[in-house]
């Protein structure tokens, strides 16, 4: 019985620590990386980006062969780096998405014309879910709490909780 209690505690702690995780690392181009000839628009359209997420330009490109510039819409459309607000060239670049806005990234060594550019729309974090009871008793003068969950995480956490406690129930003599 003591083992079941420690298992429950471990599961509860695991769920508690995983509940605050909000950032997602988006690997640009998935397994094809940051390279010419890839449709990054299609890749970006299959992802949802939130404030706090990271874009990762993975190690499939060699250091100093390709780079990444954050540019404005004009720079994106014309493949120019004039007025760029960021530049990365390490070969293992994590770019934070800290604001809800549209970001534009291009390769600045001419490969932008070969498709090495991506634009992503970053959304604000959704507000935390509220129940009917908490809505009725809420005080309009209090500030709302920060969002801790992304959409879909609740069902994952609930499933994990059910598995943990279901295991304990089944293993109890």
């Amino acid at each position: 019985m003591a083992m079941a209690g420690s298992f429950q505690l471990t599961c509860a702690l695991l769920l508690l620590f995983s509940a605050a995780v909000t950032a997602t690392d988006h690997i640009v181009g998935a397994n094809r990386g940051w390279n010419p000839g890839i449709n990054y628009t299609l890749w970006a359209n299959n992802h949802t980006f939130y404030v706090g997420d990271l874009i990762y330009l993975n190690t499939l490109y060699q250091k100093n062969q390709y780079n990444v510039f954050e540019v404005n819409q004009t720079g994106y459309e014309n493949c120019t780096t004039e007025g760029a607000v960021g530049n990365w060239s390490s070969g293992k670049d994590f770019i934070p998405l800290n604001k809800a806005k549209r970001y534009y990234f291009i390769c600045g060594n001419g490969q932008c014309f070969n498709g090495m550019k991506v634009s992503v729309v970053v959304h604000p974090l959704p507000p935390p879910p509220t129940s009917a009871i908490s809505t009725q008793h809420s005080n309009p003068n209090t500030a709302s709490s920060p969002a801790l969950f992304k959409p879909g995480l609740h069902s994952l956490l609930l499933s994990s909780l059910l598995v943990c406690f279901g295991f304990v129930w089944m293993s109890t003599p």
Side-chain angles (χ1 to χ4, degrees):
M1 189 67 168
M3 186 174 123
S6 65
F7 183 75
Q8 284 177 322
L9 179 62
T10 302
C11 285
L13 289 173
L14 178 65
L15 289 172
L16 178 66
F17 289 126
S18 66
V21 175
T22 59
T24 299
D25 295 347
H26 299 276
I27 302 172
V28 175
N31 62 348
R32 297 182 69 196
W34 183 237
N35 289 294
I38 298 172
N39 186 341
Y40 291 108
T41 301
L42 181 62
W43 172 84
N45 289 340
N46 286 316
H47 289 81
T48 303
F49 302 90
Y50 291 99
V51 171
D53 286 357
L54 298 169
I55 284 194
Y56 176 57
L57 292 131
N58 63 22
T59 58
L60 295 178
Y61 71 88
Q62 296 175 7
K63 184 178 179 177
N64 299 325
Q65 182 178 1
Y66 302 131
N67 55 24
V68 181
F69 284 84
E70 182 182 345
V71 296
N72 59 24
Q73 183 176 0
T74 302
Y76 180 81
E77 291 170 353
N78 299 319
C79 289
T80 61
T81 59
E82 186 175 325
V85 295
N87 178 8
W88 298 267
S89 59
S90 75
K92 296 179 182 180
D93 301 308
F94 284 93
I95 302 171
L97 304 172
N98 294 327
K99 294 180 183 176
K101 68 175 192 173
R102 179 174 288 276
Y103 287 81
Y104 299 94
F105 300 102
I106 68 169
C107 182
N109 67 357
Q111 293 299 324
C112 176
F113 293 107
N114 292 324
M116 287 183 71
K117 63 183 189 176
V118 64
S119 173
V120 298
V121 176
V122 177
H123 304 281
L125 286 172
T130 57
S131 67
I133 294 172
S134 66
T135 302
Q136 292 172 358
H137 291 50
S138 66
N139 181 348
N141 296 328
T142 60
S144 62
S145 61
L148 294 178
F149 301 104
K150 284 193 173 180
L153 190 58
H154 287 107
S155 56
L156 175 65
L157 292 174
L158 181 59
S159 299
S160 300
L161 186 63
L162 291 173
V163 167
C164 285
F165 288 104
F167 175 79
V168 170
W169 176 74
M170 291 175 58
S171 66
T172 306

